[in-house]
Amino acid sequence: MTASPPDLALPACDFTVFGGTGDLALRKLLPGLYQRERQRQLHQDTRIIGVSRHDLDDAGYRHLVTEALFDHVPEDHLEAGAVHRLTSRLHHVSLDAHSPEDWDLLHGLLKEQRGETRESGEDATRIFYLAVASDLFGPICDRLDELGLVTADSRVVLEKPIGSDLASSRVVNDAVGQVFEEGQIFRIDHYLGKESVQNLLVTRFANIFLEPIWNSRWVDHVQITVSETLGVAGRGEYYDRAGAMRDMIQNHLLQMLCLVAMEPPTYVGGDPVRDEKLKVLRALTPLTGVDVDRNTVRGQYTTYGEEVGHPSTTETYVALRAEVQNWRWAGVPFYLRTGKRMARQESTIEIVFKEPPHAMFPHSEGITTPNRLTVRMQPDEGMQLHLTAKHPGPGGIRLHPASLDLSYADAFDERSPDPYERLLMDVMRGIPTLFMRRDEVEAAWTWVEPILERWRDTGMEPVRYHPGTHGPAAATRLLARDRRTWQENA
Ligand code: BG6
């Protein structure tokens, strides 16, 4: 058991959420801020301003958010005092982007002099969280700029996906970049806020034993899986335009691949980490033409059309085989897959090592499996190192798989914070390490785009899979071709 470190103080912030009544704000952002309120970490002058088109006053917004907290915060974390403190910080601005008067309301609120920070003449740090479609990012930033609301200390947070391809992501990044410096732009990928994903960095670089074997000489292959049991209910309109490639692979899965494959940065800080991730993205072997047909699987669960209300060819499942062409990883396949309405809710990274060079136990019974390091992001965050051990008992040596198991819940007497909770604090403190830089986002699109184009140009229909299964059989064949299996089949 360990004691928690003291929480670092946060500056006074005006935290403005565009899309303040949306699913993300109510399900993740406000519950995340609530948890920090509970720890008494938010500065006394911090205000939270929800912006939406809904006709709500402050009282109405406070009511809406209170209900959301009751729905999304674990019951044993709900404390009347903390709920009251958080909701007292809330304001709502009903804003139609085309109405100058509505923008004046937001302007008035942000310029209001209030509390100690402002009495001393200092502006609170302004954070603009854009939880809206990315084609609105540019127009919102322009308006904020025209109203003089963007100071050197202001930050903007962009939700993924940024654009729907390389060209549109450049347009969005250019538009935001006209108003905010790159150092003020926080592109969020909530997978980077997961404890186990951050722990991957710590495990790799704060320990010595893995580094010598973390390369093509010892690693046979890597599997990255994000499988979800839920469908797209409630988000069908967005999802049907995006699909699994844009929604998950372009960001979350490629980011995890980067953390597995990157070289040690000089220190864990904003640019060194992002420089190393960028090198990995740029070293991905491009998949184009027939290589796409051979190395990718596109699937859709059979009830998807019913869920979105019309026939669709959007993929809800992707499996693919990627390679990182550099000294460390040449020849090591990275298999990525993600799907909705799958048999299990599970996110894992599997580093599968090679077999020992020589079988020393020729007459022994039992099973040997290759060593494998599993990083479990959900459920039950932790790590497992799979080994071969001697089965206890006399009468010869029988080999048996066994594992060293690090469960966060057991090892640390701590609640694992929701990723948004951690990332929102980093935005307030201005720490960019766990956010994506523009060049990373664009490098990811550069790799993904030819795959999307090939699917489009060849009219590749998604293969159907039944809800509650492990996805299409073609994904099993993708590995079988290389004489490998996905871990649940191993
Ligand atoms: C989001 C995707 O970014 O990540 C969703 O838009 C997906 O489609 C979600 O369900 C998965 O996140 P988590 O943390 O629940 O695995």
Side-chain angles (χ1 to χ4, degrees):
M1 279 204 208
T2 51
S4 13
D7 289 328
L8 298 174
L10 294 167
C13 296
D14 277 341
F15 193 93
T16 305
V17 186
F18 287 84
T21 55
D23 181 64
L24 181 75
L26 298 179
R27 212 161 42 84
K28 294 288 181 188
L29 307 182
L30 287 148
L33 291 167
Y34 167 79
Q35 294 286 6
R36 293 295 104 196
E37 180 72 81
R38 215 175 129 230
Q39 303 297 319
R40 296 192 173 270
Q41 206 182 357
L42 302 182
H43 190 285
Q44 58 174 4
D45 286 343
T46 287
R47 297 184 297 178
I48 303 164
I49 300 153
V51 176
S52 80
R53 282 194 295 194
H54 288 95
D55 186 17
L56 276 178
D57 57 11
D58 289 352
Y61 191 51
R62 287 172 187 176
H63 181 69
L64 183 73
V65 172
T66 305
E67 283 187 342
L69 296 181
F70 276 88
D71 286 345
H72 301 297
V73 171
E75 211 179 321
D76 56 338
H77 291 176
L78 283 168
E79 293 163 15
V83 172
H84 176 73
R85 289 199 306 278
L86 184 87
T87 51
S88 313
R89 300 176 184 277
L90 294 173
H91 298 267
H92 183 263
V93 175
S94 305
L95 190 145
D96 171 349
H98 303 294
S99 157
E101 298 84 53
D102 292 354
W103 283 97
D104 287 347
L105 286 176
L106 180 63
H107 178 255
L109 191 58
L110 289 175
K111 289 283 185 178
E112 208 173 82
Q113 301 289 310
R114 197 182 66 100
E116 279 173 22
T117 319
R118 291 169 185 79
E119 273 161 21
S120 65
E122 248 177 74
D123 270 338
T125 299
R126 291 198 187 118
I127 296 170
F128 301 102
Y129 197 116
L130 308 191
V132 290
S134 64
D135 52 356
L136 294 174
F137 293 176
I140 291 176
C141 291
D142 286 346
R143 231 28 220 121
L144 295 173
D145 190 32
E146 281 159 22
L147 292 170
L149 290 174
V150 179
T151 60
D153 194 28
S154 300
R155 289 158 209 159
V156 67
V157 188
L158 308 182
E159 259 299 325
K160 56 126 271 235
I162 297 176
S164 55
D165 54 20
L166 180 60
S168 57
S169 81
R170 282 191 173 139
V171 169
V172 174
N173 280 324
D174 280 346
V176 176
Q178 296 286 320
V179 176
F180 291 90
E181 301 285 336
E182 180 62 28
Q184 297 174 286
I185 304 174
F186 288 69
R187 296 179 191 81
I188 209 157
D189 181 317
H190 78 278
Y191 263 70
L192 297 178
K194 289 189 190 269
E195 287 291 323
S196 44
V197 174
Q198 293 168 53
N199 193 42
L200 179 59
L201 278 181
V202 176
T203 305
R204 281 196 61 195
F205 301 131
N207 297 292
I208 193 73
F209 73 103
L210 280 173
E211 182 55 22
I213 54 168
W214 205 260
N215 55 48
S216 63
R217 189 154 170 226
W218 303 103
V219 174
D220 181 72
H221 71 280
V222 176
Q223 300 183 9
I224 303 180
T225 299
V226 177
S227 110
E228 299 180 87
T229 49
L230 288 177
V232 299
R235 303 169 69 225
E237 202 190 319
Y238 151 74
Y239 194 88
D240 202 47
R241 273 181 282 116
M245 187 61 127
R246 293 183 173 90
D247 186 52
M248 298 294 290
I249 302 268
Q250 189 269 348
N251 33 78
H252 304 323
L253 278 90
L254 284 184
Q255 284 292 318
M256 286 187 278
L257 182 153
C258 286
L259 295 182
V260 172
M262 70 193 249
E263 294 300 316
T266 43
Y267 64 92
V268 174
D271 281 334
V273 169
R274 298 183 301 174
D275 288 346
E276 295 306 334
K277 286 195 291 161
L278 179 65
K279 286 186 208 161
V280 174
L281 290 167
R282 290 189 172 156
L284 285 169
T285 309
L287 285 181
T288 54
V290 290
D291 284 343
V292 174
D293 311 346
R294 207 175 138 64
N295 291 297
T296 68
V297 175
R298 229 185 144 225
Q300 187 192 76
Y301 57 86
T302 48
T303 53
Y304 176 75
E306 272 165 51
E307 239 175 73
V308 292
H310 54 82
S312 164
T313 56
T314 299
E315 78 282 352
T316 60
Y317 178 98
V318 174
L320 58 84
R321 182 188 193 280
E323 284 193 21
V324 179
Q325 280 307 333
N326 63 17
W327 188 279
R328 189 189 283 266
W329 293 115
V332 177
F334 285 73
Y335 301 103
L336 274 45
R337 65 178 168 162
T338 182
K340 300 225 181 258
R341 289 230 181 270
M342 306 287 287
R344 286 209 292 256
Q345 182 77 19
E346 188 176 64
S347 302
T348 52
I349 302 174
E350 304 275 4
I351 316 292
V352 183
F353 292 91
K354 295 191 170 167
E355 300 271 5
H358 169 59
M360 286 194 179
F361 302 97
H363 303 300
S364 59
E365 299 169 33
I367 331 153
T368 59
T369 49
N371 291 144
R372 177 162 56 91
L373 180 69
T374 307
V375 178
R376 235 178 12 255
M377 287 157 285
Q378 58 204 24
D380 185 20
E381 283 186 293
M383 280 193 182
Q384 272 175 316
L385 183 59
H386 303 267
L387 308 165
T388 299
K390 178 187 175 296
H391 198 281
I397 291 185
R398 281 171 297 146
L399 307 182
H400 205 270
S403 61
L404 300 176
D405 208 335
L406 170 68
S407 154
Y408 280 10
D410 296 344
F412 302 96
D413 189 18
E414 299 264 338
R415 172 184 72 91
S416 256
D418 184 85
Y420 277 99
E421 207 180 312
R422 156 73 197 254
L423 295 172
L424 293 179
M425 298 305 100
D426 282 0
V427 174
M428 291 192 197
R429 296 196 184 99
I431 301 173
T433 314
L434 298 176
F435 296 83
M436 293 180 293
R437 217 168 46 192
R438 173 177 180 155
D439 45 12
E440 280 182 82
V441 174
E442 294 184 359
W445 277 125
T446 302
W447 188 75
V448 157
E449 194 166 273
I451 304 175
L452 290 167
E453 278 171 5
R454 174 75 180 179
W455 287 349
R456 189 197 56 213
D457 295 348
T458 57
M460 192 204 264
E461 289 273 329
V463 285
R464 311 288 154 174
Y465 62 96
H466 289 287
T469 62
H470 289 300
T476 308
R477 291 197 294 273
L478 180 74
L479 267 71
R481 198 181 73 203
D482 295 347
R483 297 177 187 282
R484 297 185 176 107
T485 49
W486 294 107
Q487 272 315 310
E488 79 268 2
N489 303 324

